[in-house]
Structures are given as structure tokens and as C-alpha cells.
Amino acid sequence: MAPLIGYWNVRGNLESIILTLKQAKVSFKVRRYKLGDAPDFDKSDWLNEKYKLGLDYPNVPYYIDGDIKITQTLAILRYLARKHDLGPRNDAEAIRSDIVEQGIFEMMNSLWTATHVETDQEFEKCRPGFETYLVEKLAHTANVLGSNKFVLGDRVTYVDFLLYTTLDYIRLFKPSSIDPHANLKSYLDRIEALPEINKYYKSEGFSRFPITYEIAKWGNLEKNAPF
């Protein structure tokens, strides 16, 4: 039976998991939970199932494959990496992978923090600080990647799909933020050219938006990008 992954009906934190599964050529099913309309944003579609799935830490995204039940984005990604040889193979690679993983996830969470605010005024207040933060963090990331094809060298791993997803969201948020870094732009193209990933992005089931649901001030409609 195909693994089941559950998440909201947006790309969000699920995208890197999907890309990892696509690269591994694993068939899977997705349970997409709907969020109600404003202003209440009813979550009952998820809440009605939240405590019935046998999850230790009930949350989305989740991954269920028989008796294997995992929540938390990074825990799911690490499991898939071990299962499908898409992770580090030695201590040196593990250290590098861990550092990059945490740096990337910090950027992703900073994007969610900046955009998941209650009012447009709060968003406009947060945005300049977040954009300044991106300048530094993207420079760090470009320096770490260097001339490598992928994070760990010539071999693609789950961290690449986490990095790709984060950079993709950032360039959709502010396209010019990636422009100073030719290696990051080439890296994005390289990931999209991977046969299984290219096939996925050309499929009818894929859309760049929504990235976030309507409660966020950016990412739920294509008109939100670019600024």
C-alpha cells in the first residue's frame, strides 16, 4: 500500500517531502486538508482527524506507511533519506548536511514568521527586516554551496530538496534577492532539470501557488508575487 502524507492544500512545508519522494520514485497518496474561509479559517477538516491517526505528536505534515507514523517535517525528510539513500553516508557529510539543513529551515521559518501576521500593516512593518535578513543568509548559503553541484557534492540528497524549496519560495517572494548569486540561480535550474523533478513540475497536478493558505499575507495567490 502506498504511503500517505497529509498536509494543508498548499505547498508550504510539504514540498520538500514530495520532491524527495519523487526523486526516490516512490508512489504515494496525499490527504489535502481544507482551511475554511476568512475570517474564521475553520480547521475542522484537519481537527476531525488529528487525534484519530495514532500520531505521537499530531501535526501536519505527517507520513504514514503501515506501522510507520511520523510527524515533523525534518523527521520525515531524514527518515526518507535513510530509507532511499538520499542522505549523508559518513560523518563529514552528516555534519555538513546537518548544518545546511538547520540554516535552510531557519530561513523557511523566518519566511513564515514574516508573512503569517494578522494585518497588512504588520506585514509591511516586518518585510524590510526580513529582506535585510535574507541578504545575509543568502550570501551564507551561496558561500556554502560554492561550486558544488549539490549540497554534498555531485550527489543529490534530501537537503537539496529542502534548499531548493526554500530558495524557490524566496525568489517568488522577492525575485531580485537571488540575482547576486549566480551559483544559486544555476542550482535552482539544476534541481528542476533532474528527470523525476522535471516530470513533476511539468505535470498538471503541480502549481507554484498557493504556497501558504489565506491566513498569511503572502503566498496564497499568484498576484502576491513578485513585489
Side-chain angles (χ1 to χ4, degrees), residues 81-116:
R82 293 190 298 270
K83 183 177 176 67
H84 301 290
D85 191 26
L86 287 170
R89 292 173 175 169
N90 55 53
D91 284 346
E93 286 190 347
I95 290 169
R96 180 174 172 82
S97 181
D98 289 350
I99 292 171
V100 176
E101 175 200 273
Q102 293 301 304
I104 297 165
F105 211 60
E106 178 190 297
M107 279 197 289
M108 182 81 83
N109 285 335
S110 295
L111 175 62
W112 301 152
T113 299
T115 56
H116 286 71

Side-chain angles (χ1 to χ4, degrees), residues 4-226:
L4 174 69
I5 52 179
Y7 196 62
W8 301 108
N9 194 27
V10 298
R11 292 175 73 194
N13 284 333
L14 184 63
E15 187 74 0
S16 57
I17 296 171
I18 287 179
L19 295 182
T20 302
L21 286 165
K22 290 291 184 181
Q23 180 65 18
K25 299 181 181 180
V26 174
S27 297
F28 58 91
K29 296 180 180 180
V30 183
R31 169 64 163 100
R32 295 283 189 176
Y33 294 96
K34 296 179 181 179
L35 190 71
D37 296 331
D40 297 327
F41 300 111
D42 178 38
K43 296 182 180 180
S44 59
D45 191 33
W46 159 239
L47 294 178
N48 288 339
E49 294 186 6
K50 182 175 181 179
Y51 297 106
K52 299 176 181 178
L53 299 170
L55 303 170
D56 289 337
Y57 287 88
N59 200 357
V60 289
Y62 62 72
Y63 174 94
I64 298 175
D65 186 8
D67 293 334
I68 305 264
K69 298 184 178 183
I70 313 171
T71 54
Q72 311 303 333
T73 304
L74 296 180
I76 295 169
L77 285 170
R78 291 171 187 171
Y79 167 77
L80 294 176
R82 293 190 298 270
K83 183 177 176 67
H84 301 290
D85 191 26
L86 287 170
R89 292 173 175 169
N90 55 53
D91 284 346
E93 286 190 347
I95 290 169
R96 180 174 172 82
S97 181
D98 289 350
I99 292 171
V100 176
E101 175 200 273
Q102 293 301 304
I104 297 165
F105 211 60
E106 178 190 297
M107 279 197 289
M108 182 81 83
N109 285 335
S110 295
L111 175 62
W112 301 152
T113 299
T115 56
H116 286 71
V117 291
E118 293 187 1
T119 66
D120 292 337
Q121 290 76 17
E122 286 180 86
F123 177 53
E124 292 303 324
K125 185 177 179 180
C126 290
R127 196 175 78 190
F130 175 62
E131 292 179 355
T132 299
Y133 162 89
L134 281 181
V135 171
E136 179 181 52
K137 294 302 179 182
L138 288 172
H140 292 168
T141 304
N143 184 60
V144 168
L145 183 63
S147 60
N148 282 2
K149 288 179 63 176
F150 304 111
V151 171
L152 296 186
D154 292 335
R155 182 172 62 91
V156 70
T157 65
Y158 82 97
V159 176
D160 290 295
F161 299 122
L162 187 62
L163 175 55
Y164 170 84
T165 302
T166 304
L167 292 177
D168 184 44
Y169 294 171
I170 288 170
R171 70 175 169 180
L172 291 171
F173 180 85
K174 187 178 181 182
S176 62
S177 62
I178 304 291
D179 288 345
H181 309 293
N183 66 334
L184 295 184
K185 295 172 75 172
S186 298
Y187 175 82
L188 288 164
D189 292 340
R190 195 175 301 120
I191 295 294
E192 290 179 351
L194 292 168
E196 296 303 318
I197 306 307
N198 186 260
K199 187 189 305 181
Y200 168 59
Y201 281 142
K202 287 183 176 178
S203 69
E204 291 184 2
F206 173 75
S207 176
R208 293 282 177 192
F209 292 88
I211 294 169
T212 60
Y213 41 88
E214 291 184 4
I215 197 170
K217 298 303 178 183
W218 171 86
N220 49 81
L221 297 171
E222 191 163 359
K223 69 179 182 181
N224 292 147

